[in-house]
Amino acid sequence: MYDSIAALTKEDGWRAEGAAARVHYDGGGTRFAVEFYADAERVLYWTVPADSEGETAAGTAAPVPREEIPDPLRRRIRDDLAAAGVDPDTERRVV
């Protein structure tokens, strides 16, 4: 496992998935999955379908352009990356 992935799993809600780490975030009625890929040093954002009770529902996640992500979420991700020893500017890199 990458050191950066192991370090991220110590932050609130993050879990390891191979060469990536993932966290879910609910914000403004929208549920997001955020993924950090250690190999590419990139962060991707996805919307996650939710049922009427806010639980993850069956369906297809869809990528979300970075400029459509709420600022508080982007700040949280940069803070988590920094706490894990990853350059927080990684969050700003485009795919």
Side-chain angles (χ1 to χ4, degrees):
M1 179 183 299
Y2 290 87
D3 291 343
S4 56
I5 300 298
L8 272 173
T9 63
K10 295 176 183 170
E11 299 303 312
D12 187 33
W14 287 90
R15 67 177 193 265
E17 295 184 7
R22 176 182 292 165
V23 66
H24 285 96
Y25 177 85
D26 293 313
T30 304
R31 187 166 168 88
F32 295 99
V34 183
E35 298 172 334
F36 167 73
Y37 292 89
D39 285 338
E41 294 187 343
R42 296 294 189 272
V43 173
L44 297 178
Y45 294 93
W46 303 83
T47 57
V48 178
D51 62 20
S52 61
E53 297 173 9
E55 297 297 319
T56 301
T60 303
V64 180
R66 192 169 322 285
E67 59 273 6
E68 293 179 21
I69 301 299
D71 287 336
L73 173 55
R74 292 190 64 194
R75 276 193 302 274
R76 181 223 164 154
I77 299 306
R78 287 192 298 272
D79 289 347
D80 286 355
L81 290 171
V86 176
D87 180 357
D89 285 339
T90 298
E91 187 274 337
R92 294 181 173 99
R93 294 180 185 157
V94 295
V95 178

